[in-house]
Amino acid sequence: MKKFFAVIMFALMLTTTARAAEFEMVEYSAQVKLQWLAAAGIPEAQKFLKLINRPVFFNAENLNDFERMELTNSLYQNLNYAAAMEFVRGKNYKNVFDLACSLSPRAMILGDEGRNVIVGELQTVCLLGDWCLEEFGSKKAIKNVEYNSFWLQDRAGMMASADKFKGEICIIEQGVMIYLADDVRAKMYDNIRDVLKKHGGCLITSDFCQKEYFTAAAAALYGEAEAPKLYAQTKAMYEKVFGDKIDDESLQSEQEALEFLKAHGLHAVKYPLFTVAPKLNVFSRLTPAQIQKVNELSTRNYLWVITAL
Ligand SMILES: C[S@@+](CC[C@H](N)C(=O)[O-])C[C@H]1O[C@@H](n2cnc3c(N)ncnc32)[C@H](O)[C@@H]1O
């Protein structure tokens, strides 16, 4: 009996330690994304960081090539952030389901515009998100935004959140696929299909071309020759935060991605990131030549709009 108890206690300890490490990783990745958005000059991201008051994760002392890494990641995050908001506004979606986006500056803004926004995240991020909303969300944002805790692979959890919306939903998912195991990713897409079938709307993402897209963003700043190096350094940086390997190879060929989506009852159409040249916060840090290159990049079809078949 004693032996049995000891085994149970040991298993519990292991689970608790693994869970703690997992949540730590999650909070770190949420924080890193905010660091790049804040460096791009996005006030909401700066407010989140100020409130959670953690030491800045990466700096010139602990990250090689810091200046270029910061600007490249800030540009990439700013592009994603602005492209998703432009899409939602262009189609005037009233319901936005922001999946695994960590603490979400765009939820604050879209909620303040009167749209209903649910951020689907893990519980630790939700607790921080609720606190930030209370502390600096506008009255409208507090009314319209909520953080719901569920795993992406949890159908009932995702559907229970989606069912709170009335009408079509714009789901946003960006940058999480590379962290997911094949079975979790497959479940996430099945769940998204079920939500879209029931409620209508679409999923927007750049995850199926993220490697090419990030490299193009780096090339716009530092040229074609330097871009693969900045991509590789960024991947290594996120692997350090994540504490594991990142799968950035799967589903990066268009044909493979379309077949994967079809197998999950989904269909994709590719759109330009922006329909008119964007005004990005990060432009205040770029030269006119860099801005021109970013404007060229913004017309490329990196935004996948995915609907249920
Ligand atoms: C790298 S971050 C977010 C990336 C962000 N969307 C971006 O654009 O950079 C990954 C986020 O996914 C969340 N996440 C990871 N695995 C998850 C899962 N299985 N279910 C729900 N959320 C998950 C984490 O909490 C974390 O905030």
Side-chain angles (χ1 to χ4, degrees), residues 26 29-30 33 77 100-102 121-122 125 150-153 174-176 179-180 184:
V26 160
S29 72
K33 177 187 150 186
Q77 291 294 343
C101 62
S102 70
E121 255 293 349
L122 301 186
V125 178
F150 57 85
W151 295 96
L152 294 164
Q153 59 270 40
Q174 194 86 46
V176 77
Y179 296 99
L180 304 179
V184 175

Side-chain angles (χ1 to χ4, degrees), residues 8-270:
I8 295 284
M9 287 307 288
F10 183 63
L12 266 177
M13 261 169 57
L14 273 185
T15 319
T16 314
T17 318
R19 271 285 149 107
E22 183 182 31
F23 289 145
E24 208 175 333
M25 166 293 274
V26 160
E27 284 192 45
Y28 287 166
S29 72
Q31 195 187 323
V32 170
K33 177 187 150 186
L34 285 177
Q35 179 177 345
W36 305 135
L37 285 174
I42 291 166
E44 281 67 24
Q46 292 163 352
K47 286 184 206 165
F48 274 117
L49 274 185
K50 191 162 177 232
L51 190 61
I52 64 176
N53 192 24
R54 307 262 169 82
V56 171
F57 205 91
F58 287 117
N59 53 51
E61 272 76 57
N62 64 13
L63 186 65
N64 279 341
D65 205 3
F66 176 73
E67 217 173 285
R68 295 196 314 165
M69 289 285 282
E70 183 187 59
L71 200 56
T72 310
N73 279 280
S74 293
L75 169 63
Y76 180 68
Q77 291 294 343
N78 198 165
L79 281 165
N80 284 339
Y81 166 85
M85 295 218 292
E86 196 210 61
F87 183 86
V88 167
R89 288 172 178 151
K91 304 274 178 206
N92 201 15
Y93 271 101
K94 299 289 181 207
N95 299 317
V96 178
F97 204 11
D98 212 348
L99 295 184
C101 62
S102 70
L103 295 173
S104 178
R106 74 180 156 231
M108 287 281 196
I109 293 172
L110 295 172
D112 188 51
E113 291 172 6
R115 302 175 208 280
N116 304 307
V117 187
I118 297 177
V119 178
E121 255 293 349
L122 301 186
Q123 202 170 16
T124 41
V125 178
C126 291
L127 291 172
L128 283 173
D130 284 340
W131 176 48
C132 292
L133 259 176
E134 273 170 36
E135 289 293 322
F136 68 85
S138 68
K139 272 192 185 155
K140 269 186 165 178
I142 293 172
K143 180 171 163 273
N144 295 325
V145 180
E146 56 182 282
Y147 282 77
N148 285 184
S149 142
F150 57 85
W151 295 96
L152 294 164
Q153 59 270 40
D154 167 16
R155 184 186 184 282
M158 192 189 287
M159 193 57 90
S161 275
D163 285 347
K164 293 180 183 174
F165 292 119
K166 287 190 179 59
E168 293 193 343
I169 302 174
C170 180
I171 304 176
I172 306 174
E173 186 282 297
Q174 194 86 46
V176 77
M177 210 168 82
I178 48 174
Y179 296 99
L180 304 179
D182 289 357
D183 59 331
V184 175
R185 185 172 57 217
K187 281 209 175 103
M188 173 179 88
Y189 274 95
D190 283 340
N191 296 342
I192 287 173
R193 176 207 54 224
D194 290 350
V195 168
L196 293 177
K197 273 201 154 175
K198 185 168 178 188
H199 292 274
C202 65
L203 160 73
I204 56 172
T205 186
S206 299
D207 277 5
F208 296 104
C209 54
Q210 63 92 22
K211 201 170 182 176
E212 183 190 327
Y213 167 24
F214 186 96
T215 308
L221 297 182
Y222 300 111
E224 300 284 338
E226 288 300 298
K229 189 171 155 198
L230 285 155
Y231 179 86
Q233 288 176 184
T234 296
K235 180 180 170 190
M237 172 192 75
Y238 277 111
E239 285 182 337
K240 200 167 155 196
V241 177
F242 186 43
D244 205 347
K245 291 276 168 224
I246 281 173
D247 174 15
D248 65 338
E249 294 297 337
S250 295
L251 305 175
Q252 291 298 300
S253 106
E254 185 173 333
Q255 198 193 341
E256 195 195 347
L258 290 175
E259 277 166 17
F260 169 85
L261 289 170
K262 196 170 168 204
H264 290 278
L266 294 161
H267 168 72
V269 178
K270 299 193 310 174

